[in-house]
Structure formats: structure tokens, C-alpha cells
Amino acid sequence: MTPKATILTADEVRRALTRIAHEIIERNRGAENLALIGIHTRGIPLAHRLAQKLGELEGVEVPTGMLDITLYRDDLSEVAHQPIIRETQVPFDLARRRVVLVDDVLFTGRTVRAALDALIDLGRPASIQLAVLVDRGHRELPIRADYVGKNLPTARAEMVKVKLQETDGVDLVELHDLPEAAQ
């Protein structure tokens, strides 16, 4: 599928994540008691990158985890007959932590809603914040990101494709037209 436009280059992805890291530090007055949890799939490497930047800036190790929201989706029966369950790994206690959920794209808000449900099943953090690389609008639920790399107004007939070095061999955000059958 040929991209309609390049939204973020590798350098722009890096700068967006650096800015988000600074905003997290400002809002939380440092990085103490923070934890980052990436939502499968591309939220995980983004969470690791943010944790590394926070560590460089604040001199503390920020723990990271990974969250699979498959069984918490409200459209599970529509998505797949045999859903693929991935690993959830949160190797720290959530109590009294400020957790930042990390994902690549915020669209309808349904993934974030599922992530909140999954996270609460694991424990009760002091607070939960949301960081996304791209917010494309079209919310169906009253959910907003606390930290956004790029606000991108889109049409429903468009798709935002995030590619990351860890999963796709390149850092890039592209805008595509959805195929007619998918609309």
C-alpha cells in the first residue's frame, strides 16, 4: 500500500518522544514512582524508549511493562474467532505508582478503555496517564491523551500506520487511504 503522506520521519519521532518525556517529568515533578506500560504491539517499544529518555534526564530507572488488551476489547467477537493472546507483563507493584499507558495511535478510544480495564485488574495505581505518538481524532468514548507526539486530523477513510525500528525496521509514521473493502 502506497502512503498518501509521510507524517513523521525518524528524526521527528525521536523529537516527539523527547518532548513527551520532558512533559511527563514536568507534570509529575520528576520521575519518582513512575512506571510506563506499553500496549501491544507498538506501545511497548515506545514505552521502553520513553523510559530510557526519562532515565537519561532524571537519573532514575523507570520500570516498564507490557499489556495485552485482547480479552478486554468490546469488539472481540467481531475482530477474530480465535483471538491471538499476547503476553501481559507488569513486573512491579502498581500500588502508589503513577502509571503512564503508552500506545502508538489514539483513535476511537476503545483500545485505551480496554487497557484501563486490564490495568485495574492488575492493581490500583495512584494515577493513570496516557501518552500516544499520534492522536488522529474520531473519539467514540470520552478519552483523551495527556501527552501527544502529533495531533493529526484525519478522515475515517484514512489509516495511520506507525512503523518502529523494533517491529518494522524503520521509524516512520504514514497516512494511507483505506482500501474500499475496509471502509
Side-chain angles (χ1 to χ4, degrees):
M1 201 166 29
T2 305
K4 181 176 183 174
T6 297
I7 305 305
L8 295 174
T9 63
D11 283 340
E12 291 167 325
V13 168
R14 180 185 46 76
R15 284 193 290 272
L17 292 174
T18 299
R19 183 173 39 76
I20 289 171
H22 282 280
E23 290 174 5
I24 289 171
I25 290 167
E26 277 184 38
R27 178 172 178 169
N28 293 283
R29 295 183 181 99
E32 293 297 322
N33 291 320
L34 271 181
L36 302 176
I37 298 179
I39 300 171
H40 273 286
T41 294
R42 287 170 184 79
I44 296 167
L46 292 173
H48 286 294
R49 291 188 200 186
L50 284 170
Q52 181 180 355
K53 287 186 185 300
L54 290 168
E56 290 168 5
L57 294 168
E58 290 293 295
V60 297
E61 186 175 329
V62 178
T64 62
M66 63 178 83
L67 194 61
D68 177 38
I69 55 104
T70 302
L71 295 177
Y72 292 87
R73 293 179 61 109
D74 61 6
D75 62 351
L76 183 58
S77 62
E78 299 169 23
V79 174
H81 184 65
Q82 292 289 321
I84 298 169
I85 309 300
R86 296 185 205 101
E87 184 178 15
T88 288
Q89 190 178 74
V90 180
F92 46 84
D93 187 9
L94 292 175
R96 295 178 296 286
R97 285 210 191 256
R98 291 167 294 168
V99 172
V100 180
L101 278 174
V102 182
D103 205 3
D104 56 350
V105 178
L106 177 57
F107 182 27
T108 63
R110 293 185 181 276
T111 296
V112 175
R113 191 231 21 105
L116 290 169
D117 287 348
L119 189 60
I120 295 301
D121 277 355
L122 298 175
R124 188 176 188 279
S127 67
I128 302 172
Q129 301 164 27
L130 176 62
V132 297
L133 185 58
V134 178
D135 182 346
R136 63 167 291 187
H138 301 285
R139 220 70 81 238
E140 295 174 1
L141 300 171
I143 289 175
R144 67 164 180 79
D146 299 282
Y147 313 103
V148 178
K150 174 82 172 170
N151 282 295
L152 178 67
T154 62
R156 281 204 173 263
E158 294 174 323
M159 177 181 71
V160 175
K161 177 69 178 162
V162 174
K163 297 178 181 178
L164 297 176
Q165 189 68 45
E166 297 89 338
T167 55
D168 308 288
V170 64
D171 285 342
L172 190 64
V173 178
E174 299 172 330
L175 185 65
H176 294 265
D177 283 319
L178 281 176
E180 290 293 324
Q183 293 182 27

